[in-house]
Amino acid sequence: MDAKFDRHRWESSRSDCLCMTRRNFLGASVALTLAPLACPFAGLTKGAAVEPLKIDTYHYIDPMFEGIRIVLSYMGEKYSPAYIQGISGMAFRIAGPCPCAPTCAVAMDPKALLKTLGYTLTEHNLGWKDDDVSSQLPGMITKVKASIDAKQPALVWHAFTNAEWDVVCGYDDAEGVFIGRGSYAGNKEFAKAKQSRAAEAVKICPAFGALIVGKKEGGFDARAAEFAALNEAVRHARNTAKSLSGPEHEGLAAYDDWIASFKKPDKKRDNGDSYTFGCYRSTRTAASPFLHELASKYPRLKSNLMKAAAEFEREVAALNGAEPLIWWNSPESDPDRNAKLWPILTKAREHYAKGISYIEKCLPG
């Protein structure tokens, strides 16, 4: 029997373990390079390789929802990458900075997004942090391979990247590997990793196993989803309460924390800074095209939506300027770097705040 999903336990467990341990995991993989991971799965019976399904690449460094978009695209859906980032809320998020923020401080989980879009879903959860999931693992592997055999890509947690949802689109039993893509793995040549790798997530977080998207059985209320996303963007940005179960903030307060931390000359750039920067700088690039899509649907709101889009473009431009100072290959400890970085983050925050203000003008009183 699959482990039952418990969102409260998910959030508390993720925040407790990822903030402390993911830094070490990410530090080992360094610069989000796209090197495929490969290693044999000992003891697996040799079999024929299954040619990978022809799936799209990741357009954003998004650990949660871009994989869903890739699966739905393979199934024939025409949603743009920016649209999925928009209605999921990811296009407007910022939290932490903490390595768990992009996967913990989200507007919804993948199951909720698929339900919103009208799709059924089968979950194959393995277990929680530090669980022995060896008895669950063979069944999950079998179900993922059955999905591939049925010409349906599967979402697998920690398949190729570290504690993210990846897309498995093929397998090779002779090598004992899954084949596919992740947000920063396998987007040139396909990534490969042992089929048991998903179980290794228990070292740092819950092992969520696999999600297999089913048939579309419900309708999609696009207008409701779009305005819910805009409302959530404003709520998230203005929220001053602590997020997760730790000391992390979200929205403008998260920006403030980030800026304040680099005002300290002895602040060290850590993996939480680099990872969250990589995710949020990438997903924020979806905000403008998403708002352009909405502007074409809601002419009365076009002016403010376009102004918001322009501000988010300026925010991204500012974040691009921060890359040499905060990315993986930047110095860990450098007072001069810190003195250059916090003003850039301040500028990015200003544009983010303006973008949110224009969105707020689009919402009913």
Side-chain angles (χ1 to χ4, degrees), residues 298-344:
Y298 305 109
R300 293 182 182 178
L301 306 179
K302 183 175 180 178
S303 177
N304 284 318
L305 289 171
M306 296 295 280
K307 289 176 182 177
E311 290 298 337
F312 292 124
E313 289 172 7
R314 295 182 183 110
E315 180 194 2
V316 170
L319 292 174
N320 287 341
E323 179 178 334
L325 304 171
I326 198 171
W327 196 230
W328 295 94
N329 56 356
S330 65
E332 288 189 8
S333 181
D334 185 345
D336 291 338
R337 181 275 312 280
N338 294 359
K340 295 175 183 176
L341 178 56
W342 71 260
I344 296 175

Side-chain angles (χ1 to χ4, degrees), residues 220-340:
F220 171 47
D221 188 337
R223 189 181 191 281
E226 290 156 5
F227 278 91
L230 296 180
N231 273 287
E232 172 59 17
V234 174
R235 185 214 64 79
H236 169 78
R238 301 277 169 76
N239 184 27
T240 58
K242 299 290 179 68
S243 64
L244 315 178
S245 62
E248 310 296 340
H249 283 104
E250 61 182 42
L252 289 164
Y255 253 129
D256 291 337
D257 290 348
W258 214 0
I259 293 162
S261 71
F262 279 103
K263 283 185 176 180
K264 300 174 183 178
D266 60 347
K267 155 70 178 174
K268 292 184 178 180
R269 188 275 303 164
D270 64 19
N271 295 324
D273 295 309
S274 298
Y275 180 72
T276 54
F277 171 81
C279 290
Y280 292 136
R281 189 261 300 262
S282 179
T283 57
R284 188 71 83 251
T285 64
S288 178
F290 172 65
L291 294 173
H292 276 77
E293 287 192 46
L294 298 194
S296 68
K297 298 177 68 172
Y298 305 109
R300 293 182 182 178
L301 306 179
K302 183 175 180 178
S303 177
N304 284 318
L305 289 171
M306 296 295 280
K307 289 176 182 177
E311 290 298 337
F312 292 124
E313 289 172 7
R314 295 182 183 110
E315 180 194 2
V316 170
L319 292 174
N320 287 341
E323 179 178 334
L325 304 171
I326 198 171
W327 196 230
W328 295 94
N329 56 356
S330 65
E332 288 189 8
S333 181
D334 185 345
D336 291 338
R337 181 275 312 280
N338 294 359
K340 295 175 183 176

Side-chain angles (χ1 to χ4, degrees), residues 198-221:
E200 296 176 7
V202 297
K203 298 174 184 177
I204 53 172
C205 64
F208 293 119
L211 303 176
I212 297 175
V213 181
K215 296 180 180 179
K216 188 171 186 177
E217 295 184 350
F220 171 47
D221 188 337

Side-chain angles (χ1 to χ4, degrees), residues 44-311:
L44 190 68
T45 303
K46 289 187 177 182
V50 175
E51 184 176 351
L53 304 173
K54 295 180 179 179
I55 63 171
D56 195 7
T57 58
Y58 276 69
H59 290 219
Y60 301 102
I61 303 176
D62 166 31
M64 297 296 283
F65 306 107
E66 173 66 343
I68 291 175
R69 196 274 308 169
I70 289 172
V71 172
L72 295 183
S73 178
Y74 183 84
M75 296 171 67
E77 287 284 14
K78 303 300 183 183
Y79 302 120
S80 72
Y83 189 78
I84 293 300
Q85 290 293 300
I87 64 168
S88 69
M90 190 59 82
F92 305 106
R93 307 302 279 192
I94 182 168
C98 164
C100 65
T103 47
C104 291
V106 291
M108 62 180 70
D109 60 25
K111 184 176 179 179
L113 175 62
L114 286 164
K115 183 178 180 181
T116 296
L117 295 170
Y119 281 87
T120 59
L121 173 71
T122 303
E123 300 177 80
H124 303 289
N125 296 310
L126 292 176
W128 302 98
K129 185 176 183 288
D130 298 325
D131 281 354
D132 179 357
V133 300
S134 56
S135 62
Q136 299 277 21
L137 184 62
M140 188 214 78
I141 292 173
T142 297
K143 290 167 183 175
V144 170
K145 292 197 293 186
S147 181
I148 303 305
D149 291 340
K151 307 300 181 186
Q152 173 72 354
L155 293 156
V156 177
W157 181 258
H158 199 75
F160 311 112
T161 60
N162 294 321
E164 297 189 359
W165 285 109
D166 303 322
V167 182
V168 174
C169 62
Y171 63 89
D172 187 336
D173 283 345
E175 293 186 50
V177 298
F178 281 143
I179 302 169
R181 307 191 194 281
S183 75
Y184 56 85
N187 287 298
K188 292 181 180 178
E189 299 297 325
F190 281 116
K192 292 182 179 181
K194 60 183 180 179
Q195 294 171 6
S196 61
R197 190 177 187 272
E200 296 176 7
V202 297
K203 298 174 184 177
I204 53 172
C205 64
F208 293 119
L211 303 176
I212 297 175
V213 181
K215 296 180 180 179
K216 188 171 186 177
E217 295 184 350
F220 171 47
D221 188 337
R223 189 181 191 281
E226 290 156 5
F227 278 91
L230 296 180
N231 273 287
E232 172 59 17
V234 174
R235 185 214 64 79
H236 169 78
R238 301 277 169 76
N239 184 27
T240 58
K242 299 290 179 68
S243 64
L244 315 178
S245 62
E248 310 296 340
H249 283 104
E250 61 182 42
L252 289 164
Y255 253 129
D256 291 337
D257 290 348
W258 214 0
I259 293 162
S261 71
F262 279 103
K263 283 185 176 180
K264 300 174 183 178
D266 60 347
K267 155 70 178 174
K268 292 184 178 180
R269 188 275 303 164
D270 64 19
N271 295 324
D273 295 309
S274 298
Y275 180 72
T276 54
F277 171 81
C279 290
Y280 292 136
R281 189 261 300 262
S282 179
T283 57
R284 188 71 83 251
T285 64
S288 178
F290 172 65
L291 294 173
H292 276 77
E293 287 192 46
L294 298 194
S296 68
K297 298 177 68 172
Y298 305 109
R300 293 182 182 178
L301 306 179
K302 183 175 180 178
S303 177
N304 284 318
L305 289 171
M306 296 295 280
K307 289 176 182 177
E311 290 298 337

